[in-house]
Amino acid sequence: MKQGFLILETGERFEGKLIGNVPDICGEVVFNTSMTGYQEIITDPSYAGQIVVFSYPLIGNYGINKEYNESPKPHVKGMVTGELCAEPNHFTATGSFINMLEKYNLPCLTEVDTRKLVKTIRKKGTVKGVISHDKTAHIPDWETENLFHQVTAKKIFTHANDGPHIILLDFGYKKSILHYLLHAKCKVTIVPYHYPLEEIHALKPDGVIISNGPGDPVTASDQLLKIRNITESYPTLGICLGHQLIALAYGAKTKKLLFGHRGGNHPVKDLETEKVFMTAQNHGYVVEDSTVDEAAFAISFKNVNDGTIEGLRHRNRPIMTVQFHPEAHPGPQDTEYIFDQFMHLLNQYSGVISYALQ
């Protein structure tokens, strides 16, 4: 390992040891508060374009296992850790975290004061940064990317099953969402986010899930008319980015949080039952309260810490959304009942929803 640096656009510089002989990499610097689940985090497509700072001090201690991947490969631009374990000890481990970094040529800056770094991000907000061997490296200018192209499915794929047919509209879905649907005996067809509306109708689904994904939801503005039509035609569940896109399709607006919600310990309140659940989250944007049409949508969940919207439910149509991740992985599985509620919607509206183009 050689000396390396994380340089923030706000001028702060953090020194550490750099694993990987890679060119300078730039990205949005964010932090995750999960104590476990580092493998799921770096393979979550929602982290595309980002440098992830792990606030938990020790990463890699239980190694890696390909079964934990949330997608076929990592999507993060780079990582920052306080300490990285080179010799893991766990009975399911098939390799070390360092092996995974080397396999995918991923840079990791370790031996960093991540406590100080996280406090800086909390104060300054999510900022751009560069990981480099050069302490004088500069952060290049770059425009907001359409990251969905990088993470979406390249072709349509169907998992056969005996239950209801679900279209998974893929903006960067996590494998655990698919696992829940298959466990519920659903037939699942994964389609790219840009799949034409007419072809979605031709598949005759019983319901649609709009997945999580990376970046600013406004980047997908060209998909909002299609999403509005989908929600008017089928029972629909939006997860994380999917929640934001459904809200945008109905006229709401989104805004960027100062430093986002990322981790497995975020409390949300179900406003119907008044129960509080611990949730897994990974998002930098939220739906603005004042822009939601409350004649059409009821706010179903709120974040206990900052009061931001964590879920919506349409008053007349079978549409439900959650900002958190009910599939978890990593994180608590308190809210997996969201999938049961969606299955209930499918049963309730089966044969009632018109499949005709609007």
Side-chain angles (χ1 to χ4, degrees), residues 115-275:
R115 185 180 183 88
K116 182 178 179 181
L117 174 53
V118 168
K119 289 176 70 174
T120 299
I121 298 171
R122 284 179 59 88
K123 181 180 179 180
K124 297 292 182 70
T126 299
V127 295
K128 296 174 183 176
V130 57
I131 292 178
S132 175
H133 288 291
D134 181 3
K135 64 181 179 181
T136 64
H138 295 286
I139 302 169
D141 293 329
W142 77 80
E143 297 181 0
T144 302
E145 301 177 82
N146 181 342
L147 297 168
F148 313 129
H149 281 305
Q150 298 180 20
V151 299
T152 193
K154 305 308 178 188
K155 60 181 180 180
I156 183 173
F157 189 83
T158 298
H159 296 263
N161 227 329
D162 298 328
H165 183 199
I166 305 300
I167 294 289
L168 181 52
L169 190 60
D170 178 22
F171 283 86
Y173 82 96
K174 289 172 63 183
K175 181 184 68 176
S176 295
I177 296 174
L178 174 63
H179 282 184
Y180 268 100
L181 296 175
L182 296 179
H183 181 72
K185 306 300 182 185
C186 295
K187 172 184 175 182
V188 182
T189 300
I190 301 167
V191 303
Y193 79 93
H194 50 74
Y195 203 63
L197 177 62
E198 293 80 4
E199 295 188 37
I200 289 176
H201 285 301
L203 292 169
K204 291 185 166 52
D206 296 302
V208 176
I209 290 182
I210 302 174
S211 82
N212 59 291
D216 186 343
V218 175
T219 310
S221 294
D222 61 336
Q223 301 297 310
L224 297 183
L225 185 60
K226 179 176 76 177
I227 288 171
R228 176 69 178 254
N229 190 292
I230 286 171
T231 62
E232 291 174 348
S233 303
Y234 314 102
T236 306
L237 169 62
I239 297 175
C240 199
L241 177 73
H243 151 81
Q244 297 166 4
L245 294 177
I246 289 174
L248 289 172
Y250 281 84
K253 295 182 179 179
T254 56
K255 64 179 180 181
K256 190 169 186 176
L257 293 167
L258 180 63
F259 47 80
H261 300 157
R262 298 177 180 88
N265 47 8
H266 292 263
V268 301
K269 185 176 184 178
D270 184 328
L271 300 186
E272 182 178 354
T273 65
E274 296 192 345
K275 291 183 178 180

Side-chain angles (χ1 to χ4, degrees), residues 35-36 38 56 58-63 84-85 87-90 97:
M35 295 176 66
T36 61
Y38 47 81
Y56 191 68
L58 176 63
I59 298 298
N61 55 311
Y62 56 85
L84 195 61
C85 179
E87 298 181 359
N89 184 6
H90 195 272
F97 193 52

